[in-house]
Amino acid sequence: MTTLRCCVIDDEPLASGLIVNYIEKTPFMQLVGEFASPRDAISTILNEHIDIVFLDIQMPQLNGIEFAKIIPSTTRIIFTTAYSDYAVEGFRVNALDYLLKPVSYDEFLAAANRALDWCELRRHTENSPTEEITSSDGDYIIIKSEYKLVQINIHDIIYIEGLKDYVKIYVDGSDKSIMTLLSMKTLEQTLPASSFMRVHRSFIVNLSKIKVIERNRIIFGKTQIPVSESYKDIFTEFITRRTLN
């Protein structure tokens, strides 16, 4: 199993200790260091091959947002903060996740698993370099997922979820998503616009698979996909053209 080497940076001892405790009880995580400030942590991050940093945002001297801009791209950030106002800024610096204090273990574990997915996918890609989309025609795409090339019938795609550096493709007949290091933009340009629509910065949906829309959300089983303001008008126009009065 992949092991994630982690650091915690937080000037609040109780908050820092909680994340340290969560790391130590998570089998695929290894704590490398706990620090009260970014300045104390920088040497370890640069020299110890750190995969994930759990980083508070509001700290003296150098805040988490600014610090995230100067560390290596191979080290990823999960922000921990008491203030939701920083969420947009956090994702602009390509954070893997954003946890609001007090953080529960369930929330921590969901973020940790997302980090594990990203790290495993990056390592697989480094060991098996090739084009992400090998082939595409009107009926299928062939993508690289882990060590394999996977052919996907585009008509089977239900929706696609973007998670920073990679995407998850959900298809009919499978409970498990297919992960690949692709951008949402690449898939949006590859898939036929007559059948697929981007409805959120993190979601592309197969229009033919939509069965239920409720309160500006597309419902696929237990999954609710929001339609964001940026895409609301074009999606509403599509639905209006097909609605019987």
Side-chain angles (χ1 to χ4, degrees), residues 12-29:
E12 299 177 26
L14 290 177
S16 181
L18 181 65
I19 299 299
V20 166
N21 177 262
Y22 288 165
I23 290 172
E24 290 176 341
K25 69 188 288 187
T26 304
F28 57 83
M29 295 192 130

Side-chain angles (χ1 to χ4, degrees), residues 34-63:
E34 179 185 7
F35 305 95
S37 75
R39 294 183 187 278
D40 294 338
I42 189 65
S43 176
T44 297
I45 291 173
L46 293 177
N47 297 309
E48 298 291 337
H49 306 293
I50 303 302
D51 296 305
I52 304 297
V53 176
F54 290 89
L55 178 63
D56 187 23
I57 292 179
Q58 285 200 321
M59 288 181 290
Q61 297 182 330
L62 182 65
N63 72 33

Side-chain angles (χ1 to χ4, degrees), residues 1 14 20 22 39 68 72-73 76 80 82 86 106 118 123 128-129 139 144 148 174-175 177 192 198:
M1 175 184 288
L14 290 177
V20 166
Y22 288 165
R39 294 183 187 278
S73 60
R76 302 309 302 270
T80 60
Y86 290 103
D106 285 346
W118 181 84
R123 290 170 187 175
S128 179
D139 295 318
K144 181 177 61 178
K148 306 180 293 291
S174 176
D175 294 331
S177 62
R198 193 164 185 174

